[in-house]
Amino acid sequence: DGFGATADAFRSYLADYVALPRCWQSSAGRPIRSHVCLYAVAVLMRHGRMTEEQAWATQHGYARHLLLALAEAGGNEIPLMSAEEEAALAEAGHTL
């Protein structure tokens, strides 16, 4: 029916809208001690040159992508997972 299809399309849109970047997990690095939202706002303000209002208004999934891009631009190696790697893991039965 039309309503079900519209609801499914909207759920798909929302899932994409809040999707976080996929990275390979590593034991290297330091854990963040601040709340992740506050940390994201601080980084977006300092390195992304956003105002506090802009940083808080940035959608969470997009903010996480920006944080990784800013880290990479700062010389850090970011172990992003490719679509092919995600597909291979899913095919092998791993839940992402």
Side-chain angles (χ1 to χ4, degrees):
D1 74 338
F3 180 76
T6 301
D8 287 343
F10 186 63
R11 277 192 289 276
S12 177
Y13 166 79
L14 288 177
D16 182 58
Y17 185 74
V18 299
L20 299 177
R22 302 262 194 201
C23 294
W24 288 101
Q25 297 298 317
S26 169
S27 60
R30 296 184 319 237
I32 297 168
R33 300 183 129 202
S34 299
H35 188 279
V36 68
C37 292
L38 184 58
Y39 173 81
V41 166
V43 171
L44 292 175
M45 288 172 60
R46 181 173 184 177
H47 300 291
R49 298 191 173 118
M50 290 185 180
T51 66
E52 183 177 9
E53 184 177 332
Q54 289 170 322
W56 278 112
T58 303
Q59 184 278 326
H60 185 68
Y62 180 56
R64 296 284 298 271
H65 283 277
L66 286 175
L67 295 182
L68 292 178
L70 287 166
E72 191 170 35
N76 296 295
E77 186 174 327
I78 306 300
L80 291 173
M81 194 178 295
S82 71
E84 292 80 15
E85 291 167 325
E86 283 190 51
L89 286 171
E91 186 176 316
H94 295 281
T95 303
L96 299 174

